[in-house]
Amino acid sequence: MGIKEKIDLERLPKHIAIIMDGNGRWAKQKGKMRIFGHQNGVRAVRETTEAAAEIGVKYLTLYAFSTENWNRPRLEINALMELLVGTISKEKKTLNENNIRLQAIGDLQSLPKKCYNELLNAIDETSTNNRMTLVLALSYSSRWELAEATRKIALDVAQKKILPEQINEETINNYLTTYGMPEPELLIRTSGEHRISNFLLWQIAYAELYFTSKLWPDFGKEDLYEAIVDYQQRERRFGMVSEQLK
Ligand code: IPE
Ligand code: IPE
Ligand code: MG
């Protein structure tokens, strides 16, 4: 029995989030420039997206560029942005053919204009697709998002649109960039690092974490399915005791 057949389709995570890490090390192992790793990471993005859509995952969020990544060497940032523009325009057709909607979270206005326009165009042209939503986290960090949400809530309070005593967890959810999306039940990080790196801190409060030493360009369908099988073997108690779940 293949790994895919081991998945219980009735208990799929609705939302999977992935910290795609290890492109630089992958390239270095091959004696190549870091950007070569990023270029090969695109194949893994394509394959993972296809794999998720194929089995019926509804949301796939990929951490593609963090707020902190702006601190990388200019050369790498430029190459990454170029790659992004090229990939989005090239993959738009495939997204439509596969009925996948593209969305993005993060400080999108901080992206180079060409990148921003290409992204908005792809979001717009895939907006009616409903098989799966692919969310790219770009110039994203959780602290940035939470600070933004706080500022917007404060503004609405100042304008008397909401009262301070009405603010609850749902209010906060509504002001996040992930508004309307289910919380990720499964968070995957590749490359053997065991950290969150400022990704979806609020949203992953109860996510199952899965770490693999595979470097992102080597990640494929089977790896995604393996993570899902692992996820399905866990007992999610949400603070309760095992007996209450029976
Ligand atoms: C992840 O790979 C991709 C991005 C952060 C854009 P890295 O570029 O972080 O690769 P490593 O971690 O240096 O190997
Ligand atoms: C996290 O990877 C960000 C993305 C995958 C886009 P990094 O490689 O930037 O994370 P750190 O710096 O090692 O924590
Ligand atoms: Mg890294």
Side-chain angles (χ1 to χ4, degrees), residues 5-240:
E5 286 70 44
K6 289 195 185 137
I7 297 174
D8 176 357
L9 296 174
E10 302 295 313
R11 291 170 49 244
L12 274 182
K14 273 199 204 68
H15 186 173
I16 299 177
I18 307 183
I19 302 173
M20 312 183 285
D21 198 15
N23 294 352
R25 278 163 282 167
W26 185 88
K28 196 172 179 185
Q29 281 175 3
K30 297 186 156 45
K32 302 275 175 115
M33 303 266 288
R34 294 181 57 84
I35 188 65
F36 182 68
H38 298 314
Q39 285 160 351
N40 280 275
V42 175
R43 187 210 50 82
V45 169
R46 209 179 288 126
E47 204 171 303
T48 307
T49 304
E50 215 178 280
E54 225 173 75
I55 54 166
V57 171
K58 294 314 277 182
Y59 287 84
L60 176 68
T61 298
L62 303 177
Y63 204 6
F65 195 85
S66 72
T67 304
E68 288 76 21
N69 287 149
W70 289 115
N71 297 320
R72 291 196 177 188
R74 197 67 236 176
L75 201 72
E76 181 170 347
I77 297 176
N78 291 346
L80 268 169
M81 292 300 151
E82 278 298 315
L83 187 65
L84 198 68
V85 178
T87 308
I88 293 170
S89 61
K90 242 190 279 164
E91 299 297 324
K92 208 164 42 187
K93 197 165 150 260
T94 321
L95 290 175
N96 277 327
E97 281 164 5
N98 288 291
N99 196 10
I100 298 169
R101 172 173 70 150
L102 183 71
Q103 291 213 317
I105 56 171
D107 186 9
L108 305 182
Q109 309 231 2
S110 69
L111 297 170
K113 212 169 169 49
K114 205 167 136 198
C115 209
Y116 178 76
N117 290 339
E118 201 60 64
L119 185 67
L120 286 210
N121 174 270
I123 290 173
D124 183 52
E125 287 185 19
T126 59
S127 64
T128 56
N129 296 341
N130 58 12
R131 182 168 168 223
M132 184 180 85
T133 302
L134 172 65
V135 185
L136 292 182
L138 287 167
S139 192
Y140 174 89
S141 76
S142 206
R143 288 181 179 172
W144 165 82
E145 176 183 48
L146 288 165
E148 280 291 296
T150 308
R151 199 174 44 74
K152 286 178 188 149
I153 292 172
L155 266 174
D156 283 352
V157 169
Q159 294 175 3
K160 307 245 185 313
K161 287 185 191 157
I162 48 171
L163 298 168
E165 53 271 29
Q166 288 175 325
I167 298 173
N168 55 24
E169 293 184 10
E170 198 193 332
T171 319
I172 295 171
N173 271 327
N174 292 343
Y175 283 81
L176 296 176
T177 58
T178 49
Y179 164 73
M181 301 177 196
E183 289 178 7
E185 296 103 318
L186 172 61
L187 173 75
I188 300 172
R189 183 172 189 146
T190 58
S191 89
E193 307 292 358
H194 297 95
R195 56 176 173 267
I196 303 300
S197 303
N198 215 348
F199 191 42
L200 301 174
L201 298 177
W202 170 276
Q203 296 89 336
I204 60 164
Y206 255 108
E208 295 296 329
L209 309 182
Y210 180 89
F211 299 100
T212 166
S213 58
K214 275 247 170 120
L215 302 174
W216 179 249
D218 289 329
F219 195 85
K221 284 194 177 186
E222 305 276 296
D223 298 298
L224 181 78
Y225 294 153
E226 216 167 285
I228 296 173
V229 168
D230 190 278
Y231 160 87
Q232 291 187 331
Q233 283 160 1
R234 304 184 190 187
E235 184 177 63
R236 307 188 72 208
R237 289 189 287 279
F238 299 101
M240 292 180 281

